[in-house]
Amino acid sequence: MQRRRTGTIAVVSALGMTAVLGGCGLTGDSDGVTLKLVAADYGDGKENSSQKYWDELVKSYEAKNPDVHVDVTVYSWNDVDRKVREMVEAGKAPDMAQIGAYSDYADKDLLYRADDVLSIPVQADFVSQLAAAGQVNGVQYGLPFAASTRVLFYNKTLFGEAGVQPPKTWDDLAEAAEALEEKGVKYPYALPLGPEEAPAETMQWMLSGGGGYTDDVGTYSIDSPQNATTFTWLRDELVGKGLTGPVAPGKLNRAAAFEAFANGDVGMLNGHPSLMKMAADKGVKYGMVTTPGVDGESRNTLGVSDWMTAFKKNGHQEEIGDFLDFVYSEENVLDFSREYGLLPVTTSASQTMSTAAEDKNLKPFLDELLLSQLYPVGKASWASVSADVKKRIGEAVAPGGSPQEVLGEIQATAMRASSAE
């Protein structure tokens, strides 16, 4: 395949690839080249861990490319971004990392450009909205690796027992949560603002209240009146009334909330496609509706992409590119997406999924992706902002907490980080 070579590329993933500890890429002997890849774990147990996925994919690749060895290390989403950052700071950057943000590395000129490593057909196959989100100043550094959107999942059995209907507004949601709580449901509404995926739950609620992380011109507006109103409502109408379960939202991670839903202990929560399989496997009868908004169905939904990044530290531009072309083949993109209940990041795989009978449950998510809003991942400051959201946002909804103060502190972090860009 034709491959453009016009500079250095950043291949960064927002869904998280695991970095390999130690070592440079070139073995220095007749064994050829060893590429180090760090990736995130999308599995919910040993049987479907991402390590297993990568081991099988690498085995297939190495059978056709005996001079290249790919060494993959997988970390949980709680650790992967930090592990990669520590490796980079220690001067031991992996060749590739599949993580949650890329722009801070691109800003430091540590990454190859997409067109330095990918063949033209592969780069052109990315869903346009995701490809655009991978750009810094019009140049693509972040390679979308996996994507998802959000809808409100609800337990049909619990809703039936409580005599309530799926909510369309915040008030509907609060009323349903109260009815569920009266029936003894453990988590009437699960609000995972723990560090695993706090930025996603936060943005979903911001959007439902007419706000977001940024305004219409891309300037951070975290402490906007709309966002302050949203988190004040969450504090007063859900958390303060004991409708979010026994674990404080700031301590509740997405994986634990999903597990609780699959165990029948959650009335409703925001979820992405992988929750469908988890719930179905446990026999939970669930429904899905558009996320409720302040005065009707939310006009916007959250779109999330994880990113693959390609670091320049060890060289290996050609080998990285060849391996990533293999990773992004339609067959492999479909295999990964179906294994973990995520949306494909390429147009070819999306088109296949949209018409395949086995993927019919994903079509609502596929349709939403083109209309969704993504994190401001093109900002080098986003990594700092995201980290601060993970650390602080739970305080905004804690009883007695001050949403305006907490959002103001995160806004201050955003402005400081922005001024350094």
Side-chain angles (χ1 to χ4, degrees):
M1 289 183 176
Q2 183 180 1
R3 193 185 304 278
R4 290 169 287 187
R5 301 293 180 194
T6 59
T8 58
I9 181 177
V11 182
V12 182
S13 167
L15 296 179
M17 291 181 86
T18 305
V20 172
L21 292 174
C24 294
L26 186 60
T27 61
D29 55 28
S30 59
D31 291 336
V33 168
T34 294
L35 299 177
K36 304 290 189 178
L37 165 64
V38 177
D41 195 354
Y42 292 86
D44 54 15
K46 187 175 180 180
E47 288 301 311
N48 71 337
S49 73
S50 290
Q51 188 70 60
K52 182 177 179 180
Y53 168 82
W54 283 109
D55 287 348
E56 293 176 355
L57 184 143
V58 165
K59 182 179 180 181
S60 177
Y61 177 77
E62 291 178 348
K64 302 174 183 177
N65 300 273
D67 293 333
V68 178
H69 176 63
V70 184
D71 186 357
V72 183
T73 304
V74 172
Y75 295 104
S76 76
W77 269 111
N78 290 330
D79 300 322
V80 65
D81 290 307
R82 174 177 55 82
K83 290 287 189 180
V84 172
R85 184 173 64 253
E86 290 172 352
M87 293 174 69
V88 172
E89 291 174 350
K92 297 180 179 180
D95 295 285
M96 296 164 283
Q98 182 251 314
I99 45 182
Y102 65 86
S103 55
D104 52 335
Y105 297 125
D107 188 59
K108 297 174 183 176
D109 195 28
L110 299 178
L111 300 174
Y112 286 115
R113 296 161 47 128
D115 56 10
D116 288 335
V117 290
L118 296 180
S119 64
I120 292 173
V122 169
Q123 186 179 3
D125 195 28
F126 286 129
V127 174
S128 59
Q129 186 172 5
L130 300 179
Q135 295 179 359
V136 175
N137 296 324
V139 177
Q140 186 180 357
Y141 292 94
L143 311 184
F145 182 73
S148 67
T149 54
R150 298 293 193 272
V151 298
L152 185 78
F153 282 74
Y154 66 95
N155 184 309
K156 287 185 174 182
T157 301
L158 297 180
F159 266 58
E161 292 172 351
V164 291
Q165 297 297 315
K168 293 184 178 181
T169 68
W170 288 358
D171 287 343
D172 293 344
L173 188 149
E175 291 175 6
E178 289 177 355
L180 291 163
E181 194 272 336
E182 291 175 1
K183 288 293 185 179
V185 175
K186 190 173 182 179
Y187 293 88
Y189 179 84
L191 182 65
L193 294 176
E196 182 182 13
E197 209 186 31
E201 185 74 9
T202 295
M203 185 169 174
Q204 187 69 36
W205 275 99
M206 285 178 170
L207 291 172
S208 73
Y213 285 117
T214 59
D215 59 22
D216 292 341
V217 296
T219 302
Y220 283 114
S221 57
I222 296 165
D223 60 350
S224 69
Q226 295 94 325
N227 292 340
T229 296
T230 295
F231 281 87
T232 298
W233 187 89
L234 285 171
R235 181 197 64 186
D236 295 345
E237 302 301 325
L238 291 185
V239 182
K241 293 183 177 179
L243 302 178
T244 54
V247 180
K251 302 291 186 182
L252 182 64
N253 280 323
R254 174 184 57 78
F258 276 21
E259 182 179 3
F261 187 86
N263 289 334
D265 293 329
V266 175
M268 51 188 159
L269 81 171
N270 287 324
H272 55 62
S274 64
L275 184 55
M276 293 190 297
K277 184 176 186 300
M278 290 180 63
D281 286 348
K282 291 291 189 72
V284 171
K285 296 180 180 179
Y286 65 89
M288 300 182 294
V289 294
T290 301
T291 302
V294 61
D295 55 5
E297 293 181 348
S298 180
R299 297 175 180 82
N300 297 300
T301 190
L302 168 68
V304 176
S305 177
D306 296 334
W307 304 95
M308 177 70 76
T309 54
F311 285 86
K312 297 189 291 184
K313 173 70 175 179
N314 305 319
H316 308 152
Q317 180 178 349
E318 292 288 344
E319 292 85 357
I320 290 171
D322 189 69
F323 176 67
L324 289 177
D325 275 358
F326 179 75
V327 168
Y328 284 105
S329 69
E330 181 179 348
E331 178 184 359
N332 288 329
V333 170
L334 284 171
D335 284 348
F336 178 85
S337 301
R338 286 167 172 163
E339 175 66 31
Y340 298 107
L342 294 165
L343 304 182
V345 297
T346 62
T347 300
S348 58
S350 296
Q351 290 173 342
T352 297
M353 266 197 169
S354 67
T355 58
E358 66 182 289
D359 302 311
K360 64 180 180 180
N361 289 340
L362 282 171
K363 194 169 189 312
F365 296 95
L366 286 167
D367 293 341
E368 278 195 348
L369 183 60
L370 297 178
L371 303 173
S372 63
Q373 293 191 26
L374 280 73
Y375 299 137
V377 289
K379 293 177 175 290
S381 54
W382 172 243
S384 296
V385 175
S386 177
D388 209 33
V389 170
K390 292 179 180 182
K391 179 181 178 181
R392 297 175 181 269
I393 198 63
E395 302 168 9
V397 299
S402 171
Q404 188 68 63
E405 181 178 336
V406 173
L407 293 173
E409 291 169 350
I410 299 173
Q411 175 73 12
T413 295
M415 298 310 292
R416 286 194 299 271
S418 294
S419 66
E421 289 182 342

